């Protein structure tokens, strides 16, 4: 298992994304991923699948698993974030999370209070490490400058069509991981002629090329979602793929401004 080790945590570089799987589909997918060797599972209270994930992971020694969950954006002040985390832990039937994140910054986010809330989770052992998701660079800088709690991760959309150079540099500077969500551009990478050509040269798949590209950008983890066993295995094997400098250049030349996840409550991505 390829690991990303930072001052704050040791995280398997490839995890299983679980949105939007629910119910029996989600439980079966997580069981299958664990059998294949996945040891990093990404969920959130908003996904509505923590109970099923709790069932799927029940047989595994807890210390062997890296488990992430997230508080929804309307529960991020200090007291609410504690309740949200406790409820996730109850659904997952776990004593702690390896990583607990603020899922989205809302316009009414009280940043110091949210960070105090996260600090309390670490202090009291509910989370081994904490971080944020969907924080643009300016907001992440402000959160880091407050110095209330070490932030281990910013989970954001990042793929071969959406570069995140600024955020990756900021994460590297502060010993953080950038977790790439939607790392396969929701599966669209399979249609791309440039990616297909590179994949063919390695006897690999387009999905593997996209994941290898993301992993090579810095302290980056990827959490592709795959419901079936074959694609789960395919995605996990991307850790072994090494692209040449020419191939990296060809991938760098693809458009890098194609954002696919942009709900109406999203922050201003460019704000400083
Ligand atoms: N923090 C946030 O706000 C946030 C937002 C969005 C997502 N996320 C997390 O990130 C995870 C992944 O993102 P995502 O689901 O949006 O997008 P993604 O992982 O880029 O793409 C998932 C899609 O690609 C397909 N797929 C999987 N492996 C493939 C392969 N090797 N080749 C071709 N297609 C493949 C999947 O289909 P099958 O399942 O049918 O194989 C699914 O339709 C989510 O599950 C969630 O955990 C977080």
């Amino acid at each position: 298992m390829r690991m990303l080790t930072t001052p704050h945590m040791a995280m398997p570089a490839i995890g299983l994304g679980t949105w939007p799987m629910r119910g029996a589909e989600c439980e079966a997918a997580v069981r299958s991923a664990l059998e294949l060797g996945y040891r990093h599972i990404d969920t959130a209270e908003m996904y509505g699948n923590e109970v099923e994930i709790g069932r799927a992971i029940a047989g595994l020694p807890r210390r062997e698993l890296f488990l992430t969950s997230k508080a929804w954006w309307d529960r991020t002040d200090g007291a609410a974030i504690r309740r949200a985390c406790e409820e996730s832990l109850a659904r997952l039937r776990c004593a702690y999370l390896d990583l607990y994140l603020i899922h989205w910054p809302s316009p009414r986010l009280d940043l110091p209070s949210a960070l105090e809330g996260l600090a309390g989770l670490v202090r009291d052992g509910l989370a081994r490490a904490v971080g944020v998701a969907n924080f643009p660079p300016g907001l992440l800088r402000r959160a880091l400058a407050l110095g209330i709690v070490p932030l281990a991760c910013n989970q954001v959309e990042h793929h071969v069509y959406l570069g995140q150079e600024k955020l990756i540099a900021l994460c590297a500077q502060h010993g953080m991981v950038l977790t790439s969500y939607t790392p396969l551009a929701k599966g669209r990478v399979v249609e791309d002629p440039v990616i297909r050509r590179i994949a063919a040269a390695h006897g690999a798949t387009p999905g593997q090329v996209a994941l290898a590209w993301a992993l090579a950008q810095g302290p980056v983890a990827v959490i592709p979602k795959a419901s079936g066993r074959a694609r789960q295995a395919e995605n996990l094997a991307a850790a072994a793929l090494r692209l040449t400098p020419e191939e990296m250049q060809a991938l760098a030349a693809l458009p890098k401004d194609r954002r696919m996840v942009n709900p109406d409550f999203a922050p201003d991505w460019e704000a400083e």
Side-chain angles (χ1 to χ4, degrees):
M1 177 59 64
R2 180 160 156 188
M3 301 294 290
L4 279 168
T5 303
T6 71
H8 312 303
M9 61 181 183
M11 174 196 241
I14 300 183
L16 181 75
T18 64
W19 167 257
M21 295 188 290
R22 286 192 168 185
E25 184 202 21
C26 182
E27 186 175 339
V30 174
R31 280 184 196 281
S32 153
L34 295 176
E35 283 165 16
L36 288 167
Y38 281 79
R39 288 296 179 269
H40 171 179
I41 306 292
D42 182 80
T43 184
E45 64 168 327
M46 193 279 268
Y47 297 175
N49 60 19
E50 289 174 315
V51 168
E52 290 77 11
I53 292 175
R55 269 192 227 120
I57 64 176
L60 197 69
R62 180 64 188 86
R63 66 181 177 285
E64 288 184 19
L65 185 68
F66 190 99
L67 189 57
T68 302
S69 192
K70 317 180 191 88
W72 193 232
W73 58 263
D74 57 354
R75 304 225 287 174
T76 52
D77 68 72
I81 209 166
R82 162 73 63 137
R83 270 196 307 282
C85 184
E86 285 172 348
E87 288 170 19
S88 282
L89 287 171
R91 285 188 292 266
L92 289 159
R93 290 190 284 162
C94 287
Y96 67 91
L97 287 155
D98 295 280
L99 182 61
Y100 194 66
L101 307 177
I102 294 171
H103 203 150
W104 287 88
S106 85
R108 59 171 197 270
L109 174 71
D110 177 343
L111 191 55
S113 169
L115 297 174
E116 297 285 1
L118 291 178
L121 300 180
V122 176
R123 188 185 55 236
D124 298 338
L126 281 71
R128 294 271 161 97
V130 292
V132 296
N134 296 300
F135 269 38
L139 185 58
L140 181 58
R141 260 189 232 107
R142 283 201 291 288
L144 289 164
L146 286 170
I148 292 171
V149 62
L151 295 173
C153 173
N154 188 15
Q155 183 181 123
V156 293
E157 181 176 349
H158 172 235
H159 44 70
V160 73
Y161 305 125
L162 186 71
Q164 291 282 17
E165 290 81 1
K166 258 193 206 172
L167 277 178
I168 292 173
L170 200 53
C171 285
Q173 191 189 338
H174 290 274
M176 297 174 68
V177 167
L178 182 139
T179 301
S180 301
Y181 76 65
T182 315
L184 300 164
K186 297 200 177 286
R188 285 176 211 175
V189 295
V190 297
E191 307 300 336
D192 191 300
V194 174
I195 300 176
R196 289 170 73 102
R197 175 176 56 71
I198 295 170
H202 289 272
T205 67
Q208 289 173 330
V209 170
L211 297 175
W213 175 86
L215 290 170
Q217 300 306 306
V220 170
V222 293
I223 48 168
K225 173 260 176 183
S227 47
R229 198 175 182 84
R231 280 176 167 174
Q232 289 178 352
E234 179 186 327
N235 295 341
L236 195 59
L241 178 60
R242 296 286 178 274
L243 303 173
T244 67
E246 295 73 29
E247 291 165 344
M248 291 298 284
Q249 250 170 21
L251 294 169
L254 295 174
K256 290 285 179 282
D257 57 353
R258 307 286 154 89
R259 192 177 288 282
M260 293 173 188
V261 181
N262 205 10
D264 52 10
F265 52 80
D268 174 354
W269 298 110
E270 306 307 326
E272 281 300 327

